Amino acid sequence: MAAASSSATATNIMLAIYEKKTNSIDLYRPLRQYISYTYSEREAVNLEDDLSIVRNLRSDIERVPDPSPTTRRDLLISYFKALCLIETRFPISPDRDHINTIQFTWFDAFKQKQKAVQQNIHLEKAAILFNLGAVYSQLGLSYDRTTVEGRRLASHAFIAAAGAFAYLRDNASTKASMGNSTTVDLSVECVGMLERLMLAQAQECVFENTIAKGSTPGVCSKISRQVGLYYEEALAALSSAPLKDHFEKAWIAHVQLKAALFYAEACYRYGLELHEKEEIAEEIARLKSGISALTEAKKSSKGAPAQILDAISKLEVNLNRNLERAMKENDRVYLMRVPSPSSLSALPAFSMVKSMQMNDMLDASKEKMFASLVPDSSAKALSKYTEMVDDVIRTQAEKLQQGSELTRVRLKEMDLPDSILALEGNFSLPEDLKNEVEKVQASGGPAGLEAELQQLRDLRRVNQELLVQTEELLQKEAAEDAQFRSQFGTRWTRPQSSTLTKTMQERLNKFAANLKQAGESDARIERSVREHSALMSILNHRPIEAALPSLSRPIMSLDANEDAIVGALKQSLRQLETLGAQRAGLEDMLKEMKRKDDILPKLMTSTGSYEDLFRKEIAKYDHICEEIAQNIEAQEQLLMQIQAQNDEFGAVFNLEDYKASRERCYKQIQAALAKCKEIKDNINEGLKFYVTLQDAINNIKQQCSDFVMTRNIQCREMMEDVQRQMAGFSFQERESPGPYPSVGQPRPTPRPSPQQITEPQSMSHPPPQNPYYRPPEQPMHGYGHPPSPYTAPQQPPPYHVHPSTATPYPPQSSTAPPYPPPHAQQRPPVGHEYGQPAYPGWRGPYYNAPAEQPGSLPRPPYTIPNPYHPHQSGYYKQ
């Protein structure tokens, strides 16, 4: 039997479609005028290049088609994309406010005397799509279909042609057919018929390659039958209005014969398969059906190509030969009843081709032409879509955050994973409590309190020694004054020391009382440290987690399944952690999708409903929303599982007792922190007090030193004067019996008046005193009145406190260093103003203490920048 294709001679007989013709039009000028009027002249200048590209593309379309179908195809695709961009930015219509000077003219591809003239860009787009399908059909015919590769390429070209006609039918045909001026070739019926025709020719190429590969008769029959079905669908359209009288009879004959030919070919191939199965009766019926179809088709074969008629004749010979053989075998062997053709089921068919999707190829959203022109309608639509996306992102982000928060709360309620970590020896404190402990340990902890207490003791000792030294200065001066007063009697006329140092002595007594009360406060601090040392000792553990109780395994176990319980719980926790990581990734994916989601180019090229575009675009978030929902649901199931596992874990490991013990430890740490902080605050307050008091005592000590120095100078001068009196020197020259001239009289060497030696800074208004005795009026060497700080009214020092409000720690007056280097006390140089430093920054030593061994001085206390207020005292407040 001949297995070769009976229709092989019809291989090269296929149809191609010619392009539609058009008239020349100028797009450049109307579009530029619209840009200049609607936007600005500057915008029109900026878009000159885009306008020129459009003009050149339209000009190339108008010319005679390029001999290369691929070049022509690329030109048509580029111009169609440009038209999509123009459509959304330039309203072309007869309306007064639109671009109404452009008229597109296109002639029918099959009856070129018919034409369509419209002020409608949809006609232009439909015509370009039609020509694109036509060029693809020409490209299919250009390949060498005598080879397997040529037939494969031709099949792809016909598939693309079918895709172009299908795209035209679905997107532009109806819009281009509106109005009175239309052509049949752009109608839905015509482009639908052309799509079927191109699919038939593509399937035909596949069938020929299937035969060439030697496929089984059953496979070849199915593919051949589908070729015939496509031709039959095209024939049905050609036989109906509006195409019935629009195409030449040769077209209809060609399609009709091809439909019959491939139906008969399918019957022939199917008969071969039936013969192998020994289904002779059906084989006879199928062969008769094929012969009948060919006979019927030949009746209307006028004008058909000879190659197709020749292929029909050869196939008819093969069918008759196989029919004759089958009938003989049935009569002699099988004796089966032959069914009637009408009772036969439809031949099986299998399509190997489908129309190419042209959306990506014709997508103009990535084109940059006229990108700066954004109409208001597109901007508003973009804003609406952005709100839709934001709502999706916000809703899903809230779900993710709620899922993470739910996990955190549920795990905290179950004390996980802390209890698992405790079992493994990895204890942990709450973060805030651990930070407080580390802060206390960094400052020395409870063990460092003793060093700070030693600072208090050293500072108290220094202040006491300074106070004693200051009192000794005044006592020594008072003793010397009493000795001279006893020696000279009434001649020693200056005031007694006790009358001048009364206020200073009162202040020293007040400081001594404050020191005593401060010592009592220090004792209370030391007592508190001793009493609470056991409580605070927990803070000496480093790390602090070492003080926490441990979670141990049960001493006795009935079934020894502790490890399995712990392992299952840890595995569930790992799964929960994985779900959390997935949520983080999903949230990042959402943000990234939103960042890349720019549909403005698609809005600018969309010709349909914005709502349809929005639904399509927003649908790309559906899969991630579904993943989020699945993640949340899986987490909920896993948390329920973890709850059950944790209950079993708690029962086996006596978790409640461990939690109670751990909470007691937490409370002890908190109490120790509070007590340690309280003691440290009291120590710091004491250090502030002693530093402030030390400055105050140094201040009054300096004043006492100045006072004593001045009194010593006056003592020497008075002694000289008394000695002169006793020697009988020229008393008649004096105007008064006193040895001192009146205040204001010039003297070569002025001396201070004894009456003006008062305590510094203790009298706001010193009472006037008469001179001890009035000297003669004639000038002579005597005792003048040098300026002294003890005679001028001064404000009370900042640390002066009224006795009624005195506290153990007087207020701070300065921040002078409490521990200057020890050195011998310096004496002010002669001629300085008493009570004033001999040079800027000079201060006397705090005390002339006996030399101490190196390292015996206490460490300096904390530097205190602000004054200390006694009524803000905590522990020291009386």
Side-chain angles (χ1 to χ4, degrees):
M1 290 187 302
S5 172
S6 301
S7 58
T9 56
T11 299
N12 292 324
I13 305 302
M14 291 186 179
L15 296 176
I17 302 161
Y18 292 111
E19 291 187 47
K20 291 170 65 67
K21 306 297 182 184
T22 184
N23 289 340
S24 299
I25 57 171
D26 178 24
L27 293 177
Y28 175 86
R29 189 179 304 276
L31 296 183
R32 192 187 190 287
Q33 290 176 350
Y34 179 82
I35 296 172
S36 178
Y37 177 78
T38 305
Y39 297 94
S40 67
E41 176 61 26
R42 181 178 181 180
E43 192 70 40
V45 172
N46 293 338
L47 295 174
E48 281 285 350
D49 291 343
D50 292 346
L51 291 170
S52 299
I53 291 174
V54 172
R55 176 174 57 188
N56 294 336
L57 288 173
R58 187 53 162 83
S59 177
D60 292 340
I61 293 293
E62 295 165 1
R63 291 203 305 267
V64 176
D66 192 284
S68 170
T70 55
T71 303
R72 187 71 176 176
R73 175 199 62 194
D74 296 341
L75 170 64
L76 291 167
I77 292 174
S78 297
Y79 183 55
F80 181 82
K81 291 180 179 180
L83 290 175
C84 292
L85 299 174
I86 292 172
E87 178 183 2
T88 56
R89 293 170 172 85
F90 301 94
I92 301 176
S93 76
D95 292 351
R96 181 177 180 182
D97 296 333
H98 292 180
I99 302 175
N100 52 23
T101 58
I102 296 178
Q103 283 190 335
F104 298 103
T105 302
W106 285 93
F107 296 90
D108 193 296
F110 305 103
K111 291 187 177 294
Q112 297 190 5
K113 292 183 180 180
Q114 299 179 7
K115 66 179 180 179
V117 181
Q118 296 183 18
Q119 290 175 297
N120 180 1
I121 197 171
H122 297 299
L123 174 62
E124 185 85 349
K125 291 176 65 178
I128 296 302
L129 287 173
F130 184 94
N131 285 355
L132 180 61
V135 168
Y136 270 120
S137 71
Q138 297 167 18
L139 188 62
L141 257 63
S142 68
Y143 293 115
D144 181 8
R145 297 193 307 283
T146 61
T147 65
V148 172
E149 180 64 16
R151 288 190 291 267
R152 186 184 67 80
L153 294 175
S155 177
H156 288 171
F158 290 133
I159 288 171
F165 289 122
Y167 190 89
L168 168 59
R169 178 196 63 208
D170 297 336
N171 296 278
S173 182
T174 302
K175 297 176 182 178
S177 299
M178 297 174 63
N180 297 325
S181 182
T182 61
T183 53
V184 174
D185 58 351
L186 295 181
S187 65
V188 172
E189 294 81 2
C190 183
V191 295
M193 180 274 297
L194 293 175
E195 178 198 12
R196 298 290 99 182
L197 178 61
M198 294 298 107
L199 288 176
Q201 295 185 156
Q203 182 87 1
E204 186 176 346
C205 293
V206 174
F207 169 73
E208 292 173 357
N209 273 347
T210 303
I211 294 297
K213 288 191 299 182
S215 298
T216 63
V219 172
C220 295
S221 172
K222 292 177 182 179
I223 295 176
S224 176
R225 180 63 189 124
Q226 186 61 51
V227 177
L229 289 176
Y230 282 137
Y231 277 118
E232 288 173 10
E233 292 172 359
L235 179 62
L238 285 170
S239 304
S240 305
L243 306 183
K244 183 177 181 180
D245 300 322
H246 194 71
F247 285 84
E248 297 177 357
K249 293 187 180 296
W251 264 70
I252 299 175
H254 175 93
V255 173
Q256 185 177 9
L257 289 176
K258 279 292 185 82
L261 175 66
F262 282 96
Y263 172 75
E265 184 76 33
C267 291
Y268 173 72
R269 299 288 171 181
Y270 196 66
L272 295 177
E273 184 179 40
L274 292 172
H275 191 83
E276 292 177 358
K277 296 178 181 179
E278 295 185 354
E279 297 178 4
I280 304 300
E282 185 178 352
E283 177 189 2
I284 295 172
R286 294 293 182 185
L287 293 174
K288 288 182 177 180
S289 177
I291 295 171
S292 175
L294 291 178
T295 304
E296 188 67 25
K298 286 193 295 184
K299 293 179 181 179
S300 57
S301 61
K302 184 178 180 180
Q307 293 92 331
I308 296 180
L309 295 176
D310 184 54
I312 289 176
S313 299
K314 290 182 178 180
L315 178 58
E316 194 172 15
V317 170
N318 291 333
L319 286 169
N320 284 323
R321 183 178 64 249
N322 286 357
L323 175 61
E324 182 180 355
R325 181 197 60 189
M327 291 179 67
K328 288 181 179 180
E329 292 180 357
N330 189 47
D331 292 340
R332 295 175 182 176
V333 179
Y334 299 103
L335 302 175
M336 294 181 180
R337 186 176 64 84
V338 177
S340 64
S342 59
S343 65
L344 296 174
S345 61
L347 283 172
F350 185 77
S351 176
M352 298 291 290
V353 297
K354 64 178 181 178
S355 302
M356 180 184 294
Q357 291 294 321
M358 307 295 288
N359 292 312
D360 293 339
M361 182 184 297
L362 301 177
D363 181 17
S365 60
K366 297 180 181 179
E367 301 296 320
K368 303 301 181 182
M369 186 180 295
F370 303 119
S372 60
L373 301 182
V374 180
D376 291 342
S377 59
S378 298
K380 292 178 180 178
L382 178 62
S383 177
K384 181 178 180 181
Y385 176 76
T386 303
E387 290 178 2
M388 294 171 63
V389 172
D390 289 343
D391 183 63
V392 171
I393 299 295
R394 182 170 52 254
T395 301
Q396 298 305 316
E398 288 176 356
K399 289 183 180 180
L400 292 172
Q401 293 170 2
Q402 290 171 359
S404 299
E405 181 64 17
L406 176 64
T407 299
R408 187 188 66 80
V409 172
R410 295 281 293 276
L411 289 180
K412 186 174 182 180
E413 291 174 352
M414 292 183 283
D415 199 31
L416 290 174
D418 291 346
S419 56
I420 295 292
L421 295 175
L423 182 63
E424 297 173 347
N426 299 320
F427 306 103
S428 63
L429 276 178
E431 193 65 26
D432 54 346
L433 188 59
K434 184 175 182 179
N435 291 338
E436 291 185 26
V437 171
E438 290 177 349
K439 188 183 301 182
V440 169
Q441 290 179 342
S443 63
L449 294 178
E450 181 58 36
E452 298 183 17
L453 288 174
Q454 186 59 43
Q455 288 185 2
L456 281 180
R457 300 186 194 105
D458 292 340
L459 283 175
R460 184 171 68 249
R461 176 181 56 79
V462 169
N463 279 280
Q464 288 172 343
E465 292 176 356
L466 285 174
L467 197 60
V468 169
Q469 293 167 11
T470 305
E471 290 175 345
E472 288 176 351
L473 284 175
L474 296 182
Q475 291 170 3
K476 181 179 179 181
E477 192 279 329
E480 290 175 354
D481 180 68
Q483 179 184 351
F484 286 120
R485 190 176 304 282
S486 173
Q487 179 179 351
F488 296 107
T490 58
R491 295 186 184 87
W492 196 257
T493 58
R494 71 174 183 173
Q496 292 184 2
S497 294
S498 60
T499 62
L500 299 177
T501 62
K502 179 180 179 182
T503 305
M504 285 191 289
Q505 192 62 51
E506 290 176 352
R507 292 176 61 197
L508 290 174
N509 293 337
K510 187 189 306 179
F511 291 159
N514 288 342
L515 271 176
K516 180 181 179 181
Q517 294 181 0
E520 296 173 356
S521 297
D522 295 346
R524 287 195 297 273
I525 294 176
E526 294 184 14
R527 185 166 59 254
S528 180
V529 171
R530 289 193 301 273
E531 292 174 352
H532 298 95
S533 60
L535 171 66
M536 295 186 294
S537 63
I538 195 172
L539 300 179
N540 290 325
H541 289 84
R542 294 176 185 267
I544 189 62
E545 287 81 5
L548 296 177
S550 61
L551 177 62
S552 57
R553 294 176 176 270
I555 298 175
M556 297 182 62
S557 176
L558 297 178
D559 49 8
N561 64 341
E562 296 88 353
D563 291 338
I565 293 173
V566 174
L569 182 56
K570 291 170 67 174
Q571 177 65 23
S572 296
L573 289 175
R574 283 192 291 269
Q575 293 176 5
L576 190 64
E577 185 177 359
T578 301
L579 289 176
Q582 289 177 358
R583 284 196 301 276
L586 290 172
E587 187 170 4
D588 292 340
M589 190 185 301
L590 272 176
K591 294 177 181 179
E592 183 66 15
M593 287 182 65
K594 182 179 183 301
R595 186 183 67 81
K596 294 181 177 180
D597 192 7
D598 179 17
I599 68 162
L600 180 59
K602 294 181 180 179
L603 282 173
M604 299 304 298
T605 56
S606 175
T607 58
S609 169
Y610 284 151
E611 296 299 328
D612 294 339
L613 177 63
F614 291 166
R615 281 193 295 271
K616 178 181 176 182
E617 291 297 321
I618 209 73
K620 61 175 169 278
Y621 291 93
D622 290 347
H623 74 281
I624 193 170
C625 294
E626 184 178 352
E627 290 184 29
I628 291 173
Q630 293 173 355
N631 181 280
I632 299 299
E633 183 179 356
Q635 175 185 272
E636 185 61 31
Q637 296 296 327
L638 189 57
L639 284 173
M640 294 173 61
Q641 175 180 320
I642 290 174
Q643 180 69 62
Q645 293 173 339
N646 190 61
D647 292 343
E648 186 178 7
F649 172 77
V652 172
F653 287 88
N654 199 9
L655 199 57
E656 291 302 322
D657 289 348
Y658 165 74
K659 290 181 180 179
S661 176
R662 186 185 60 187
E663 287 302 319
R664 287 194 298 271
C665 187
Y666 285 170
K667 291 180 180 178
Q668 182 182 353
I669 293 174
Q670 291 170 345
L673 286 171
K675 180 54 66 176
C676 189
K677 183 177 184 300
E678 175 188 339
I679 292 174
K680 279 184 173 290
D681 290 345
N682 289 335
I683 291 175
N684 287 337
E685 191 174 338
L687 293 174
K688 292 179 187 178
F689 167 76
Y690 283 125
V691 171
T692 302
L693 182 62
Q694 185 174 336
D695 285 342
I697 295 176
N698 273 307
N699 195 329
I700 195 170
K701 180 182 178 184
Q702 183 64 44
Q703 294 175 14
C704 291
S705 297
D706 294 343
F707 169 76
V708 170
M709 186 180 300
T710 303
R711 292 277 285 179
N712 288 340
I713 294 173
Q714 291 179 347
C715 177
R716 289 195 298 272
E717 292 175 350
M718 183 170 285
M719 287 178 63
E720 293 173 2
D721 191 27
V722 170
Q723 289 172 0
R724 281 195 296 270
Q725 290 181 37
M726 294 174 65
F729 288 157
S730 305
F731 290 100
Q732 67 275 11
E733 296 179 0
R734 304 177 185 273
E735 293 182 356
S736 64
Y740 303 107
S742 303
V743 177
Q745 292 182 351
R747 290 289 184 268
T749 306
R751 305 290 185 181
S753 172
Q755 296 140 313
Q756 294 176 325
I757 303 177
T758 60
E759 186 212 351
Q761 302 183 12
S762 63
M763 299 174 61
S764 298
H765 302 284
Q769 297 184 10
N770 294 325
Y772 304 119
Y773 61 88
R774 187 173 298 280
E777 294 183 1
Q778 59 267 34
M780 63 172 294
H781 295 287
Y783 300 100
H785 297 271
S788 171
Y790 309 116
T791 60
Q794 297 188 14
Q795 295 294 328
Y799 51 78
H800 179 70
V801 181
H802 194 276
S804 63
T805 60
T807 62
Y809 294 165
Q812 180 178 355
S813 62
S814 68
T815 58
Y819 299 108
H823 53 78
Q825 180 173 354
Q826 299 183 15
R827 188 178 187 85
V830 178
H832 89 297
E833 293 190 61
Y834 305 126
Q836 301 298 320
Y839 54 87
W842 180 87
R843 297 288 297 273
Y846 292 149
Y847 58 95
N848 296 323
E852 298 184 1
Q853 294 300 321
S856 62
L857 290 177
R859 293 187 294 110
Y862 307 120
T863 301
I864 309 301
N866 297 321
Y868 162 68
H869 300 286
H871 295 290
Q872 295 178 356
S873 167
Y875 189 83
Y876 293 90
K877 189 171 182 180
Q878 301 300 316

